[in-house]
């Protein structure tokens, strides 16, 4: 586009200030800035400003919300038991046939944890201080060995951490994985705004922007060529997880099998909420489709509503663990789709009219994000499978308190102890235990390897490999 056309585009959308420092810029800086301006979604900017920036659009709840059907964590009904056996067998077949990929979204900024660098480099394990990336890599490696299959790993980063993420894999020799089976790609970004709806500059030639949320993964998977790579490899199912949860069971034959047998396009694991207002999304059914309603959007009377037996009517919380069919992502992208935006009021460093960098002490603008669970209602069929918190959910979110590294480490150790107990081995209360995923990725693995554990001496810290 010519400068003249850019100027009129900016004027039309009230964003002329983006060229305020134009005369001061070098030719390459000017080109850089023009490229960024051209790359903005101009067809959407005015409606974003109206609906999300200047005011907060109240969440529109579907007229009728029902509770969503859930497969229980423990099958007591014989019919469900039989289905789970069939599903687990089918899941194992898919994994062994190389039809399942692992996919982590790791493009977030991890501001609450306050860790310098990609969150995947955070040392999370209780004895060996293994990083989150190492833990996931070892889980994937262990499953590849178990099923004698290649399980490629797709890793979504953002422009903020792409290079540093790649270097940590290079520096650690891909944590034992084959480099050719690890695929990195970057998610998209969205511009940051001040409360008047003006796009902010982070430098005189740079538009302030931030990653477009984990929902951006559904577009980035396609745009980056990851989906094409999966197709070439014969991948049918994608196991989606977040970078902050080391208890994740990345390759779960039962969950994968249930999703596939039910012909679902996007499925979820769920937890019984700790209380009516626990800060997790709520699984609901609206117009026959699964939706997740954020805790802050669910009116109190619905959050508190109970069934005759006293259980919560909206009992199941979302923990960001999904199986997504490759075909679903491909179709969404070919057809064109847009996830709703969510507004986050933040402190955003910016360049003021005098050309100085300002690091605000109070929130001064809005970042926009999309959430992956907003794709659930786009799926015609979606399975929800209950899991237990102690088995599978211990995210590292905050520096201290709930969801902190301290809690995660304790839960990792407790799960190892529970697996040992299940194999008939008791551990002292004050002993901290860590197991290499290469030793066990599920309780059955521990039972099978029991003879290796007979002579084990428990001290205050023990690592089992
Ligand atoms: P969170 O919602 O916990 O955000 O991300 P965060 O950015 O990691 O942490 P805070 O809020 O700044 O403290 C949940 C998962 O989604 C990924 C994160 O990397 C994490 O795995 N994510 C989040 C992305 O991949 N991209 C994003 O734009 C946002």
């Amino acid at each position: 586009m010519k400068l003249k056309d850019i100027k009129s585009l900016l004027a039309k959308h009230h964003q002329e200030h983006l060229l305020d420092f134009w005369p001061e810029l070098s030719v390459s800086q000017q080109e850089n800035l023009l490229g960024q301006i051209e790359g903005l979604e101009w067809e959407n900017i005015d409606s974003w400003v109206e609906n999300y920036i200047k005011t907060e659009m109240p969440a529109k709840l579907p007229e009728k919300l029902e509770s969503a059907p859930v497969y229980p964590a423990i099958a007591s009904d014989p019919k469900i038991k039989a289905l789970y056996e069939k599903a687990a067998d089918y899941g194992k077949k898919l994994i062994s046939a190389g039809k399942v990929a692992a996919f982590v979204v790791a493009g977030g900024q991890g501001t609450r944890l306050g860790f310098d660098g990609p969150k995947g480099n955070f040392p999370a394990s209780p004895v060996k201080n293994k990083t989150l990336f190492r833990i996931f890599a070892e889980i994937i490696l262990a499953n590849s060995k178990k099923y004698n299959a290649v399980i490629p790993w797709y890793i979504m980063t953002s422009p903020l951490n792409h290079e540093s993420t790649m270097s940590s894999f290079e520096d650690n020799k891909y944590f034992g994985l084959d480099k050719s089976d690890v695929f990195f790609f970057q998610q998209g970004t969205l511009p940051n705004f001040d409360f008047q709806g003006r796009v902010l500059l982070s430098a005189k030639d740079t538009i302030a922007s931030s990653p477009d949320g984990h929902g951006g993964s559904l577009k980035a998977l396609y745009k980056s060529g990851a989906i094409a790579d999966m197709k070439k490899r014969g991948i049918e199912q994608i196991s989606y997880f977040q970078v902050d949860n080391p208890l994740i069971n990345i390759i779960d034959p039962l969950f994968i099998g249930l999703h596939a047998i039910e012909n679902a396009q996007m499925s979820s694991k769920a937890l019984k909420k700790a209380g009516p207002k626990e800060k997790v999304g709520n699984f609901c059914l609206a117009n026959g489709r699964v939706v997740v309603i954020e805790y802050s959007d669910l009116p109190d009377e619905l959050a508190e509503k109970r069934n005759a037996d006293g259980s919560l009517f909206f009992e199941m919380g979302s923990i960001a663990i999904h199986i997504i069919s490759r075909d679903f992502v491909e179709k969404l992208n070919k057809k064109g789709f847009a996830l709703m935006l969510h507004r986050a009021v933040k402190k955003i460093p910016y360049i003021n009219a005098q050309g100085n960098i300002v690091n605000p002490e109070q929130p001064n603008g809005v970042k926009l994000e999309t959430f992956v669970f907003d794709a659930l209602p786009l799926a015609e069929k979606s399975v929800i499978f209950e899991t237990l918190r102690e088995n599978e959910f211990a995210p590292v979110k905050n520096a201290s308190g709930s969801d902190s590294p301290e809690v995660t480490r304790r839960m990792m150790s407790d799960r190892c102890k529970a697996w040992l107990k299940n194999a008939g081995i008791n551990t002292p209360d004050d002993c901290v235990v860590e197991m290499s995923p290469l030793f066990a990725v599920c309780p059955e693995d521990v039972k099978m390897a029991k003879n290796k554990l007979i002579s084990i001496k428990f001290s205050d810290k023990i690592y089992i490999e």
Side-chain angles (χ1 to χ4, degrees):
M1 244 193 237
K2 295 208 179 91
L3 184 58
K4 184 171 95 333
D5 299 329
I6 293 272
K7 279 186 175 163
S8 63
L9 179 72
L10 293 176
K12 189 170 155 211
H13 298 283
H14 316 291
Q15 304 289 349
E16 300 95 316
H17 63 282
L18 292 177
L19 295 182
D20 275 359
F21 306 102
W22 184 260
E24 295 174 38
L25 301 180
S26 67
V27 173
S28 72
Q29 285 175 317
Q30 288 179 341
E31 275 170 12
N32 179 25
L33 181 59
L34 285 190
Q36 292 171 55
I37 294 175
E38 283 187 73
L40 292 180
E41 287 180 42
W42 290 105
E43 66 281 17
N44 294 323
I45 292 235
D46 293 346
S47 77
W48 291 348
V49 169
E50 272 326 297
N51 296 324
Y52 299 100
I53 310 294
K54 288 189 178 164
T55 50
E56 183 168 13
M57 199 163 57
K60 248 201 242 145
L61 282 186
E63 254 168 42
K64 189 160 179 241
L65 281 179
E66 296 161 284
S67 71
V70 176
Y71 281 111
I74 295 156
S76 35
D77 179 318
K79 263 200 202 147
I80 300 275
K81 239 186 190 156
L83 171 69
Y84 282 11
E85 274 167 25
K86 197 170 134 199
D89 278 349
Y90 190 52
K92 284 176 192 160
K93 278 199 188 114
L94 291 175
I95 304 161
S96 304
K99 296 187 179 204
V100 179
F103 172 39
V104 67
V105 288
Q109 291 175 277
T111 37
R112 282 171 288 171
L113 182 62
F115 175 68
D116 196 15
K119 212 190 226 185
N121 286 347
F122 185 80
S125 78
V127 177
K128 287 280 179 187
N129 277 318
K130 286 185 191 175
T131 66
L132 290 159
F133 280 141
R134 181 176 292 282
I135 296 167
F136 302 141
E138 290 182 356
I139 297 174
I140 292 168
L141 193 58
N143 279 290
S144 300
K145 289 187 175 160
K146 189 172 185 170
Y147 293 99
N148 192 22
V150 174
I151 301 173
W153 187 13
Y154 297 82
I155 299 173
M156 185 178 84
T157 63
S158 66
L160 303 170
N161 65 17
H162 187 74
E163 294 305 324
S164 45
T165 300
M166 297 226 351
S167 341
S168 60
F169 276 74
E170 283 290 334
D171 296 347
N172 289 287
K173 302 200 168 58
Y174 286 73
F175 308 103
L177 293 170
D178 191 332
K179 183 175 173 170
S180 62
D181 295 325
V182 184
F183 188 116
F184 297 92
F185 63 94
Q186 293 191 52
Q187 68 180 107
T189 57
L190 286 168
N192 301 156
F193 296 83
D194 69 13
F195 294 123
Q196 283 71 48
R198 288 152 41 105
V199 172
L200 291 165
L201 286 170
S202 62
K204 289 179 178 175
D205 65 339
T206 311
I207 287 174
S209 63
S210 48
D212 57 359
H214 39 67
S217 61
L218 295 173
K219 284 202 169 132
L221 272 168
Y222 188 76
K223 230 173 135 180
S224 64
I227 288 289
D229 184 73
M230 288 182 194
K231 204 168 180 176
K232 213 168 62 200
R233 291 169 180 265
I235 298 295
E236 288 175 7
Q237 306 297 351
I238 306 168
S239 173
Y240 170 106
F241 62 102
Q242 298 193 156
V243 76
D244 51 23
N245 179 21
L247 281 195
I248 180 74
N249 181 5
I250 302 172
I251 301 296
D252 179 350
L254 173 52
F255 184 33
I256 295 164
L258 265 183
H259 165 88
I261 275 185
E262 292 272 4
N263 275 321
Q265 286 123 23
M266 178 165 173
S267 296
S268 315
K269 277 198 179 162
L271 284 186
K272 277 206 178 92
K273 292 189 296 176
K277 300 290 275 178
E278 186 181 351
K279 292 184 176 176
V280 290
N282 293 272
F283 281 110
C284 309
L285 207 60
N287 305 315
R289 301 258 171 142
V290 170
V291 295
V292 169
I293 306 289
E294 281 195 274
Y295 66 93
S296 49
D297 293 335
L298 193 68
D300 283 358
E301 82 222 54
L302 292 183
E304 305 281 353
K305 191 173 164 183
R306 294 199 180 252
N307 298 309
D309 64 1
S311 59
L312 288 172
F313 187 73
F314 295 108
E315 189 178 33
M316 288 295 161
S318 168
I319 47 171
I321 301 176
H322 302 283
I323 300 294
I324 308 174
S325 298
R326 188 209 75 222
D327 189 47
F328 177 59
V329 182
E330 203 171 339
K331 282 194 179 131
L332 280 183
N333 280 280
K334 282 194 174 150
K335 202 166 68 181
F337 75 108
L339 298 181
M340 67 178 285
L341 291 170
H342 296 259
R343 169 192 211 257
V345 170
K346 300 269 180 185
K347 292 184 233 169
I348 307 169
Y350 68 104
I351 298 283
N352 66 12
Q354 290 70 45
N356 301 320
I357 295 183
V358 181
N359 278 303
E361 280 174 15
Q362 295 301 325
N364 62 318
V366 174
K367 291 185 176 182
L368 297 171
E369 277 191 299
T370 55
F371 294 160
V372 76
F373 55 70
D374 285 327
L376 284 167
L378 303 177
E380 277 163 36
K381 178 81 193 165
S382 172
V383 165
I384 305 173
F385 180 38
E386 184 194 359
T387 185
L388 303 179
R389 196 179 297 260
E390 61 271 26
N391 287 348
E392 216 170 333
F393 191 59
V396 183
K397 294 268 184 211
N398 304 310
S400 58
S402 62
D403 294 338
S404 66
E406 195 191 331
V407 178
T408 301
R409 289 188 186 113
R410 194 177 59 234
M411 288 182 72
M412 289 180 81
S413 171
D414 285 350
R415 190 178 71 171
C416 291
K417 288 166 134 183
W419 288 2
L420 287 166
K421 192 164 178 202
N422 176 63
I425 300 164
N426 286 319
T427 48
D429 282 350
D430 54 359
C431 172
V432 177
V433 185
E434 179 177 335
M435 250 174 222
S436 166
L438 296 159
F439 178 76
V441 287
C442 61
E444 293 70 42
D445 291 349
V446 181
K447 263 192 175 166
M448 300 245 292
K450 199 181 162 183
N451 57 351
K452 289 193 204 156
L453 300 168
I454 301 292
S455 57
I456 205 162
K457 296 258 176 311
F458 289 101
S459 50
D460 56 340
K461 278 189 175 197
I462 184 151
Y463 179 66
I464 303 174
E465 58 188 323

